[in-house]
Amino acid sequence: MQIIISNSSKEPIYEQIYAQIKRLILTGELQEGQSLPSMRQLAKDLEISVITTKRAYEELEKNGFIYSIVGKGSFISEQNTEMMKERKMKVIEEKLLVAIQNAKEMDITLAELKEMLTLLYTEDE
């Protein structure tokens, strides 16, 4: 598992870790039951504080992506397909909101935005 931390990002380090592990789970690169590196090991590998990795793991666990067993470590949770679909839909909505905000700032009309989306969506068909 490779995690890349960007010091130039405005996003806190724990959120960068959270987002990258979440992506690996949602894309299936990390499978159900697979173990994650210990918080200490990940902190050592990334040369960051254990508190930072702990916070990332806590967020992942709170959102149902991983579970922890005291003394054994953290593992990838079973991903309910309906729940995964809902999470992916939320990610799409968030990205669309950013696109909409950018379009509004550039005075792009809804019709123009729909046309762009339609072209991009049907590009590979």
Side-chain angles (χ1 to χ4, degrees):
M1 177 176 78
Q2 184 178 2
I3 294 178
I4 299 166
I5 302 298
S6 170
N7 291 324
S8 60
S9 173
K10 293 179 183 176
E11 188 177 38
I13 293 172
Y14 83 91
E15 285 182 8
Q16 292 179 49
I17 296 167
Y18 170 86
Q20 290 179 57
I21 293 175
K22 175 182 164 184
R23 182 186 55 75
L24 291 170
I25 293 169
L26 292 176
T27 59
E29 291 178 53
L30 291 175
Q31 299 290 318
E32 172 188 342
Q34 189 174 344
S35 66
L36 290 174
S38 72
M39 290 179 215
R40 290 188 201 293
Q41 185 60 52
L42 184 59
K44 182 180 175 190
D45 293 347
L46 298 175
E47 299 178 350
I48 58 173
S49 165
V50 174
I51 294 168
T52 303
T53 56
K54 182 177 189 295
R55 185 157 182 204
Y57 278 30
E58 284 173 346
E59 288 294 313
L60 287 162
E61 189 163 7
K62 181 175 82 173
N63 290 301
F65 290 105
I66 67 170
Y67 64 94
S68 298
I69 299 174
V70 177
K72 296 203 180 220
S74 297
F75 303 87
I76 307 302
S77 297
E78 176 182 351
Q79 298 300 306
N80 175 313
T81 53
E82 191 59 37
M83 190 181 225
M84 281 181 64
K85 182 179 178 182
E86 192 61 37
R87 287 183 185 136
K88 286 183 179 182
M89 289 292 288
K90 187 173 190 238
V91 169
I92 291 168
E93 287 173 7
E94 289 169 357
K95 291 184 186 268
L96 284 173
L97 284 172
V98 170
I100 290 166
Q101 184 61 40
N102 287 336
K104 286 180 177 179
E105 288 172 4
M106 296 180 61
D107 293 324
I108 294 173
T109 67
L110 178 58
E112 291 171 316
L113 190 58
K114 283 181 181 179
E115 184 180 340
M116 267 193 259
L117 182 60
T118 302
L119 283 170
L120 292 170
Y121 192 85
T122 58
E123 193 172 78
D124 293 336
E125 291 180 359

